[in-house]
């Protein structure tokens, strides 16, 4: 078998066989296939696409390129969720404890933030003492013990994806839905959970800009999961404005705490309620999604979700006094108010601009080696649909940097105002199962 023949076959629009796909993934993972041939195949896939069975074979080959976590020693149904990335997305820190408090076993591997999107691991590390580097044995023991653990992906999980993802980033092949879907699902499947809920975001702050493209990606990923015998479902959620009010690591942790104490912003509460209801149905802890949603609401009202959050951090070394007393989180030296210079109604908030601005204030990283200022970020005071009067505070920028006037201007420009009142947008637009 020759790699050039595989490239030409896909270039000409033909489906690749399971053997050809495994030959490519195995050879590229071992360094036997050079980058220039891998990039040629990726470009051919971008233009020609892949059939459902091809994508499933590619996902399975990537999944088995490294370790596959065996969670069979954890009792009960193991649930997981994945977000395609957004701005202000602290969902895992709210949703995870809630479904765990309702009896589900959440064994989750998460990532770090890069660019305008935040990462769950960075948010967790804003609580002093917290470790996200767990051994597989400790990870499994913790899920059995308290029903939840969140850790970083190990180096041995899906090495094929690491190589191919880096290559796609520099060869203009990131936008291929078969490659996006296989990248996400190979990691999720290698993590060992029985069920997966995908939160596929669309809008200005998401990778998928339209509802139609997000639905295509969601449908592809659900198909992959189903073909590999995992209960996989997806919700399509709005990222045309940041999720909640807080953007930035410590700021988002404080909002997660408030949400679990019954004081969260409506869009975040709605999202975790719907997602949690689905996950409890997947775990067979609720007969219907609606029954699951009711249990999630009860876990917020009773404080059970917040207690589970404290258990999570305590088990991973975190100082839970910060959860009981969020005022202990250090504040940035500069807190600059962004003031509206006109009356009107907020019609749109550019999530991408807010996410990039938060990164530039110190709350994110442009490269994986950048350090993060955990106190930096942006706290929104207005959301889409809100009435604004001249002189009102639109947002507050938190930073320890000087000379950020251009960033402050970008935050102000991210808010679009109109004289006409607009309706608030629902957070979940569709459900794929």
């Amino acid at each position: 078998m020759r790699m050039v023949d595989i490239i030409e076959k896909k270039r000409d629009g033909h489906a690749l066989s399971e053997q050809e796909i495994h030959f490519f993934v195995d050879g590229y993972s071992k360094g036997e296939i050079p980058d220039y041939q891998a990039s040629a195949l990726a470009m051919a896939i971008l233009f020609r696409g892949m059939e459902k069975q091809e994508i499933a074979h590619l996902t399975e080959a990537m999944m088995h390129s490294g370790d596959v976590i065996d969670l069979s020693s954890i009792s009960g149904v193991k649930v997981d969720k994945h977000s395609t990335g957004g701005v202000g997305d602290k969902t895992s820190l709210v949703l995870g404890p809630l479904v765990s408090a309702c009896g589900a076993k959440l064994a989750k591997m998460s990532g770090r933030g890069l660019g305008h999107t935040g990462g769950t691991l960075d948010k967790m590390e804003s609580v002093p003492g917290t470790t996200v580097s767990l051994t597989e044995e400790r990870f499994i023991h913790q899920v059995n013990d308290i029903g939840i653990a969140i850790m970083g992906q190990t180096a041995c999980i899906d090495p094929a994806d690491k190589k191919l993802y880096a290559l796609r980033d520099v060869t203009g092949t990131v936008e291929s839905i078969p490659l996006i879907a296989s990248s996400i699902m190979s990691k999720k499947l290698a993590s060992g959970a029985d069920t997966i809920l995908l939160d596929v975001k669309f809008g200005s702050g998401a990778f998928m800009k339209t509802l139609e493209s997000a639905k295509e990606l969601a449908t592809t990923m659900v198909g992959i999961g189903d073909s590999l015998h995992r209960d996989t479902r997806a919700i399509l959620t709005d990222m045309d404005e940041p999720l909640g009010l807080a953007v930035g690591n410590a700021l988002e942790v404080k909002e997660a705490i408030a949400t679990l104490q019954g004081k969260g912003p409506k869009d975040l509460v709605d999202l975790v309620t719907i997602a949690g209801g689905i996950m409890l149905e997947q775990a067979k802890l609720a007969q219907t999604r609606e029954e699951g949603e009711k249990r999630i609401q009860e876990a917020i009202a009773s404080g059970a979700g917040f207690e589970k959050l404290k258990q999570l951090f305590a088990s991973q070394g975190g100082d839970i006094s910060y959860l009981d007393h969020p005022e202990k989180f250090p504040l940035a030296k500069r807190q600059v108010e962004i003031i509206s210079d006109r009356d009107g109604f907020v019609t749109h908030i550019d999530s991408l601009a807010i996410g990039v601005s938060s990164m530039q204030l110190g709350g994110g990283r442009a490269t994986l080696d950048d350090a993060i200022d955990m106190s930096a970020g942006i706290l929104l005071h207005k959301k889409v649909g809100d009435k604004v009067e001249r002189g009102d505070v639109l947002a507050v920028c938190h930073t320890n940097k000087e000379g950020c006037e251009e960033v402050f201007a970008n935050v102000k420009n991210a808010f679009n105002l109109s004289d006409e009142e607009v309706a608030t947008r629902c957070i979940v637009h569709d459900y794929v199962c």
Side-chain angles (χ1 to χ4, degrees), residues 277 280-282 284-292 295:
L280 292 181
E281 184 185 16
Q282 287 179 291
K284 299 182 172 38
L285 293 168
Q287 293 296 315
T288 63
R289 180 181 122 186
E290 291 72 23
E291 180 188 334
R295 292 196 62 192

Side-chain angles (χ1 to χ4, degrees), residues 177-188:
I177 282 184
L179 295 179
I180 296 169
S182 58
S183 172
I184 291 172
M185 290 301 294
S186 60
K187 292 192 290 287
K188 286 288 100 181

Side-chain angles (χ1 to χ4, degrees), residues 193-406:
D194 300 313
T195 74
I196 302 166
L197 177 65
L198 302 161
D199 179 1
V200 182
K201 299 189 179 296
F202 68 93
S204 65
F207 183 72
M208 313 307 291
K209 299 304 179 185
T210 67
L211 177 59
E212 292 73 23
S213 61
K215 188 164 186 177
E216 182 183 355
L217 176 60
T219 302
T220 301
M221 292 193 292
V222 168
I224 292 170
D226 288 347
S227 71
L228 297 175
H229 312 295
R230 305 288 177 90
D231 182 344
T232 307
R233 310 183 192 186
I235 51 176
L236 306 182
T237 65
D238 195 314
M239 190 41 67
D240 249 351
E241 65 173 328
L243 179 61
L245 299 170
V247 180
N249 296 284
L251 296 175
E252 291 188 44
V253 172
K254 288 193 280 188
E255 184 164 80
I257 293 167
T259 303
L260 289 169
Q261 293 175 333
K263 298 173 286 189
K266 183 179 185 304
D267 57 348
L268 178 58
V269 173
D270 288 348
L271 174 56
V272 298
T273 300
I274 294 170
I278 295 169
M279 292 177 73
L280 292 181
E281 184 185 16
Q282 287 179 291
K284 299 182 172 38
L285 293 168
Q287 293 296 315
T288 63
R289 180 181 122 186
E290 291 72 23
E291 180 188 334
E293 290 178 5
K294 184 177 179 181
R295 292 196 62 192
I296 293 293
Q297 292 167 340
E298 291 170 350
I300 294 174
S302 69
F306 179 57
E307 290 304 314
K308 188 62 67 174
L309 181 73
K310 291 199 290 184
Q311 282 187 312
L312 168 65
F313 276 95
S315 296
Q316 296 185 209
D319 183 348
I320 63 170
S321 69
Y322 281 74
L323 307 185
D324 285 319
H325 302 282
E327 67 276 7
K328 290 185 66 173
F329 284 97
L331 291 173
K333 294 177 183 177
R334 300 183 69 195
Q335 296 170 45
V336 178
E337 294 182 339
I338 307 301
I339 306 297
S340 176
D341 54 15
R342 58 161 293 185
D343 298 341
F345 296 90
V346 180
T347 59
H348 176 66
I349 303 173
D350 187 338
S351 289
L352 177 59
I354 294 294
V356 170
S357 296
S358 177
M359 177 189 73
Q360 293 170 333
L361 293 172
R365 52 172 71 87
T367 72
L368 283 172
D369 295 327
D370 289 348
I372 287 181
D373 178 353
M374 294 297 184
S375 68
I378 300 168
L379 196 59
L380 305 182
H381 281 224
K382 299 292 183 181
K383 295 275 283 182
V384 170
D386 287 349
K387 184 177 181 181
V388 175
E389 295 182 358
R390 182 187 178 100
D392 281 354
V393 177
L394 298 173
V396 178
C397 295
H398 293 241
T399 186
N400 289 303
K401 293 184 176 182
E402 299 294 335
C404 295
E405 282 66 30
E406 184 177 347

